[in-house]
Amino acid sequence: MEFRPCIDIHNGKVKQIVGSSLRDEGDFAKENFTAGQDAAYFAKFYQKKGIKGGHVILLNKEGSTFYEKTRRQAFQALAAYPGGLQVGGGIHRENAAEYLEAGASHVIVTSYVFQGGQIQYDRLEKLCCEVGKEHLVLDLSCSKKRGQYYIVTDRWQNDTDVVLDEKTLEFFSSYCDEFLIHGTDVEGKGKGIDRELVGLLGCFDRIPITYAGGVHNYEDLKLLKKMGHSRINVTIGSALDLFGGFMELDRILSEIRDL
C-alpha cells in the first residue's frame, strides 16, 4: 500500500472538487478547495517528500475556455518533477507522447478508449503500442447503477455500458501498467470509502491499483488496507491538510508505513 498524491487542475488552478458536480458547460465544478499555489509548487513538494506515482489531472475539456491555461499548469508540474508524476485528462494517441517527453512517467487514459459507451479495441491496442504498456495507466473510475459498477468517462459525466468486475480488470490489465479508479459516488464528499468497490478491487492482484474517493480519516486508511488486502494504493484529496483538510500528510505516510 502506497500513498499516491494528486494535483487536480481546473480552470487553470489546483483544486479539490466534488467529482460528480463537474460539468463542461460553463466549466463548472463544486469546489471544496482552491489552492493559492500553482501545480509546480505541489510537484516540487511531493518530490522533496520522495513521493512518486502521483497523478496530475486536467479537468477541463480540450478546446474549452480554460483548457490551455490548465494544460500549461500540467506541463509546469511535469517539468518540476520529471519522472515522478503521471498525467491524465484528455489524453489520446496524438498527444500522449508529448506528455511523456515533458516528464510524465505514465499517461492516464479513459475516454479515448471508450466511444458511444463501449470499448474501442482498436484505439486501446494502438495506444498501448504507441506509448508502451509500461507507460499506460487506465482510469476505470466508476459509478454504481442497477446493482453494478459501470465505468464512467468524459470527466465522469457519461456512463459506459462496461461493467467493472474481475473479468474487466483482467482484460484491461493486459494493456496497462496500473489502474486508477475513483469511486465517483463518494469522490470529494468526505463520507468514507466505497466499501463494496474496495472489496471488489482488493480481490485483484495482477497489477497495481490506486483508489480514490471518500477517504476522510485515518480509520479509512486502516479499513482500505484491510479490505484491499494491502494491495490497493490510495489517493487522498479534500481531506488532506494541503487542501484544507485535517489529515496530516506526514501522519498519513507514517500510518501507511506502519499498517
Side-chain angles (χ1 to χ4, degrees), residues 20-218:
S20 59
S21 73
L22 190 63
R23 297 290 181 271
D24 289 337
E25 185 177 356
D27 295 304
F28 173 80
K30 183 178 179 180
E31 300 172 5
N32 286 330
F33 180 82
T34 300
Q37 304 91 346
D38 61 14
Y41 168 87
F42 290 98
K44 292 175 183 176
F45 179 85
Y46 296 140
Q47 184 182 43
K48 289 178 181 178
K49 290 286 186 181
I51 308 170
K52 291 187 175 182
H55 49 273
V56 179
I57 303 297
L58 292 75
L59 292 174
N60 290 99
K61 182 179 180 180
E62 187 172 3
S64 64
T65 302
F66 292 97
Y67 176 74
E68 288 301 328
K69 189 175 181 180
T70 290
R71 191 167 181 265
R72 284 195 296 273
Q73 285 284 316
F75 276 112
Q76 289 169 12
L78 297 177
Y81 191 6
L85 298 168
Q86 306 169 359
V87 64
I91 306 294
H92 47 75
R93 186 184 174 195
E94 289 72 24
N95 67 10
E98 183 180 8
Y99 286 101
L100 293 174
E101 291 168 1
S105 65
H106 297 70
V107 288
I108 305 168
V109 179
T110 307
S111 303
Y112 180 70
V113 300
F114 294 91
Q115 193 173 39
Q118 299 178 338
I119 303 169
Q120 300 300 307
Y121 296 96
D122 58 334
R123 288 188 171 194
L124 179 60
E125 291 174 1
K126 289 177 181 177
L127 180 64
C128 184
C129 290
E130 184 78 22
V131 305
K133 179 180 185 293
E134 69 276 15
H135 296 298
L136 182 59
V137 175
L138 288 178
D139 183 339
L140 303 184
S141 297
C142 57
S143 177
K144 190 175 183 181
K145 292 180 174 62
R146 303 181 295 279
Q148 298 185 95
Y149 288 96
Y150 287 86
I151 297 171
V152 294
T153 66
D154 304 304
R155 294 157 304 285
W156 309 331
Q157 295 174 74
N158 295 315
D159 297 334
T160 71
D161 297 330
V162 183
V163 175
L164 183 69
D165 55 18
E166 187 174 354
K167 183 178 178 181
T168 303
L169 293 170
E170 185 73 22
F171 168 76
F172 280 118
S173 68
S174 298
Y175 292 92
C176 65
D177 197 43
E178 298 184 12
F179 292 128
L180 171 62
I181 301 179
H182 293 76
T184 64
D185 296 328
V186 298
E187 171 72 20
K189 297 179 180 179
K191 296 181 179 179
I193 62 175
D194 187 326
R195 298 189 182 195
E196 185 177 349
L197 176 58
V198 168
L200 168 65
L201 302 180
C203 294
F204 186 80
D205 63 358
R206 184 166 175 175
I207 63 173
I209 295 175
T210 296
Y211 168 83
V215 177
H216 74 302
N217 59 36
Y218 302 106

